[in-house]
Amino acid sequence: TRGLVVSGLHKTYDNGVSALKGVELEVAPGLYGLLGPNGAGKSTLMRTLATLQRPDSGSIVFDGFDALSQPDKLRQCLGYLPQQIGSYPGVPAQSLLERFAWLKGRTDGNLRRREVAELLEKVNLSDVANRAVSEYSGGMLRRFGIALALIGQPKLVIVDEPTAGLDPSESNRFHRVLADIADDAVVLLSTHIIEDVENLCERLSILTSGRIVASGSPHALTSPL
Ligand code: ADP
Ligand code: ADP
């Protein structure tokens, strides 16, 4: 079966805070929203799904394999865009992307350059590909982050707080990029702003105090009873 199945995920930090209290989630390919207030456990869940931290218990199955016992296999098909994109040196976007593609095993120079050119096109940065990433605006940086996350054609794309710090036109453009890649990948977006996901995602789940309290279409979840 294709997609992501999370069950019984628990995580308590050393300070005693229980950030995940039995998270259950089933996500098919497409755009999926994870909505919850600050402190709900979204970042903990995203980092756990990205295998950057381990849960205390529970299971994560992606496209039929167990991601917790095979984290390397998951990383091979993963694109992760953290909330805070690191700062990059004064290097042109294109060469930075090519270096990452090389690190991801794209050793054939022609294939590598073609993949990077296609990604720059997809995120609408072709015109500024030779400009230093350190000079990018917030919106450009966000789109650059997506290009970076998409190197190697990931089947699972995890995006934490996608439009934090973007103006409306930048976030619209960002949303179109995400919708485009969701054609044949699981794309999971976390946010505390309902408008970020209600028109974008076919389905979403609401996370509160470490638990999924509701899942369904945005319309079903947000319309008054
Ligand atoms: P969200 O992303 O929804 O804001 P987080 O996953 O960041 O939620 O945090 C969930 C809870 O876990 C919060 O109470 C937060 O303070 C706590 N928390 C997050 N990371 C850590 C950590 N590294 N150590 C201790 N507590 C943490
Ligand atoms: P987010 O906005 O993504 O929820 P936060 O601002 O809550 O992130 O946390 C930023 C970083 O600090 C994260 O790496 C998180 O794990 C860590 N953190 C959050 N809350 C705590 C806490 N109570 N104790 C220790 N580390 C924390």
Side-chain angles (χ1 to χ4, degrees):
T1 42
R2 292 209 47 210
L4 179 69
V5 182
V6 175
S7 51
L9 217 56
H10 285 263
K11 173 68 183 180
T12 299
Y13 286 107
D14 291 343
N15 60 359
V17 171
S18 283
L20 303 178
K21 301 171 189 164
V23 169
E24 311 279 335
L25 204 56
E26 267 195 61
V27 186
L31 276 176
Y32 198 100
L34 180 73
L35 182 67
N38 283 325
K42 300 183 300 296
S43 291
T44 301
L45 180 58
M46 299 303 243
R47 285 194 301 265
T48 304
L49 295 176
T51 73
L52 296 170
Q53 71 181 54
R54 283 191 69 84
D56 299 328
S57 59
S59 78
I60 300 171
V61 174
F62 182 69
D63 281 359
F65 71 90
D66 177 51
L68 290 172
S69 61
Q70 298 177 83
D72 289 340
K73 189 169 175 184
L74 188 81
R75 283 172 206 143
Q76 277 169 18
C77 53
L78 173 75
Y80 174 61
L81 183 53
Q83 201 173 348
Q84 299 289 336
I85 305 174
S87 54
Y88 293 99
V91 175
Q94 182 172 344
S95 30
L96 211 50
L97 288 172
E98 283 180 9
R99 284 184 211 177
F100 275 87
W102 188 84
L103 288 172
K104 274 231 173 170
R106 293 294 199 261
T107 49
D108 180 311
N110 285 329
L111 284 180
R112 185 167 66 237
R113 279 184 287 276
R114 191 190 310 157
E115 178 172 13
V116 167
E118 282 172 6
L119 283 173
L120 285 165
E121 185 71 40
K122 185 171 275 188
V123 300
N124 207 358
L125 288 176
S126 302
D127 293 347
V128 290
N130 291 315
R131 239 195 264 172
V133 179
S134 52
E135 292 165 18
Y136 275 10
S137 71
M140 290 158 79
L141 203 55
R142 218 54 196 146
R143 281 181 281 132
F144 174 77
I146 270 287
L148 203 56
L150 292 183
I151 287 173
Q153 295 170 310
K155 290 286 168 219
L156 173 61
V157 179
I158 292 178
V159 185
D160 205 348
E161 298 273 353
T163 54
L166 298 190
D167 67 34
S169 89
E170 284 175 331
S171 51
N172 277 340
R173 208 184 300 187
F174 187 73
H175 285 160
R176 281 199 297 274
V177 172
L178 292 177
D180 180 40
I181 61 175
D183 270 354
D184 74 340
V186 170
V187 182
L188 197 57
L189 305 175
S190 85
T191 183
H192 64 280
I193 305 165
I194 175 69
E195 288 80 11
D196 264 7
V197 287
E198 66 176 340
N199 298 317
L200 190 64
C201 299
E202 279 163 61
R203 291 180 65 79
L204 56 85
S205 287
I206 297 175
L207 184 72
T208 306
S209 302
R211 287 193 184 90
I212 301 289
V213 293
S215 296
S217 71
H219 180 73
L221 291 183
T222 60
S223 58
L225 293 175

